[in-house]
Amino acid sequence: MLSWLLQVYRTPSTLHTASVNSIGFAPQELGLILACASSDGTVSIVQLTQEGNWETSKISNAHAIGVTAVSWAPAVPAGGLVASSPPTAVVRRLCTAGCDNTIKVWHNAEAGWSLEATLTGHTDWVRDAAWAPNLGLPVNTIASAGQDGKVIAWVEQTDGSWQNKVVNDFKVPVWKVSWSVAGNILAVSDGNNVITLWKETLDGVWQQVVQ
């Protein structure tokens, strides 16, 4: 038995009333924070305080029928690494996917978590959502995977709206999406028992990466 295999924390039994379907640690710049997406329709935030205590909070009614996935935004603002002056604050945002066929974007401030945007484009449950690393580049991108067979890329515009483009229609349920570390290649797993890699060309067309 390895000595480090020790349980350091267990969430309260009352935190969620149904299955927890997805968990994700926040970027290290935000501290030790974990987001948890549940079939009870809520997202819990579990945080280690400076005093060494674990605290929990909730985004209630995130998705009424259930939350399937959660993903954090990069802590560095889009374009922050190439800006003329360093960013003044880290970004506290995340996205969630749900059984209501939507993706939602959330922002955390002193008053707590608030809804920024609801992204509609799927016609069935959204099984997964992943916020792309941006390495400081001036773009925010989210990929979503749907029971309807579609993978959609969502790009935030300068006015705060989100423009979507279908990466591919797989014609079978799509289960997971995951970005490469650089945020320029998207991996997709689908109901055909296949994993494919996709990349956007300079003219905005998504193409499958082949040998």
Side-chain angles (χ1 to χ4, degrees):
M1 178 71 71
L2 297 176
S3 60
W4 57 266
L5 291 177
L6 299 174
Q7 179 177 304
V8 296
Y9 178 73
R10 179 187 176 95
T11 58
S13 59
T14 56
L15 185 62
H16 289 289
T17 58
S19 64
V20 177
N21 304 316
S22 176
I23 55 177
F25 275 111
Q28 63 178 1
E29 294 90 339
L30 305 187
L32 192 55
I33 308 175
L34 182 69
C36 315
S38 174
S39 289
D40 63 12
T42 70
V43 175
S44 63
I45 309 295
V46 183
Q47 180 173 3
L48 182 65
T49 67
Q50 292 183 347
E51 293 75 25
N53 301 316
W54 293 91
E55 292 184 351
T56 62
S57 59
K58 268 193 175 183
I59 302 175
S60 299
N61 299 316
H63 296 265
I65 310 176
V67 191
T68 56
V70 62
S71 180
W72 291 88
V76 178
L81 294 182
V82 295
S84 58
S85 58
T88 57
V90 294
V91 174
R92 297 177 180 270
R93 302 171 81 192
L94 55 78
C95 68
T96 57
C99 302
D100 56 1
N101 310 348
T102 70
I103 303 96
K104 294 185 178 182
V105 180
W106 306 85
H107 175 260
N108 180 245
E110 292 184 3
W113 288 93
S114 59
L115 179 63
E116 279 190 7
T118 299
L119 312 182
T120 58
H122 289 281
T123 58
D124 207 335
W125 289 15
V126 184
R127 292 292 185 180
D128 196 21
W131 204 308
N134 62 22
L135 297 182
L137 298 176
V139 63
N140 276 310
T141 305
I142 296 171
S144 60
Q147 180 73 19
D148 60 6
K150 294 179 181 178
V151 170
I152 299 177
W154 309 82
V155 179
E156 188 174 24
Q157 307 300 299
T158 55
D159 62 358
S161 63
W162 291 80
Q163 185 177 55
N164 71 74
K165 180 176 293 186
V166 175
V167 175
N168 191 54
D169 186 349
F170 291 83
K171 308 300 184 182
V172 294
V174 185
W175 299 106
K176 297 289 291 183
V177 284
S178 180
W179 293 96
S180 64
V181 174
N184 62 336
I185 296 178
L186 180 67
V188 180
S189 66
D190 63 56
N192 285 321
N193 309 330
V194 173
I195 298 94
T196 52
L197 303 180
W198 299 81
K199 188 171 184 178
E200 188 178 18
T201 63
L202 293 177
D203 56 358
V205 177
W206 284 90
Q207 294 182 346
Q208 185 176 337
V209 178
V210 296
Q211 293 183 342

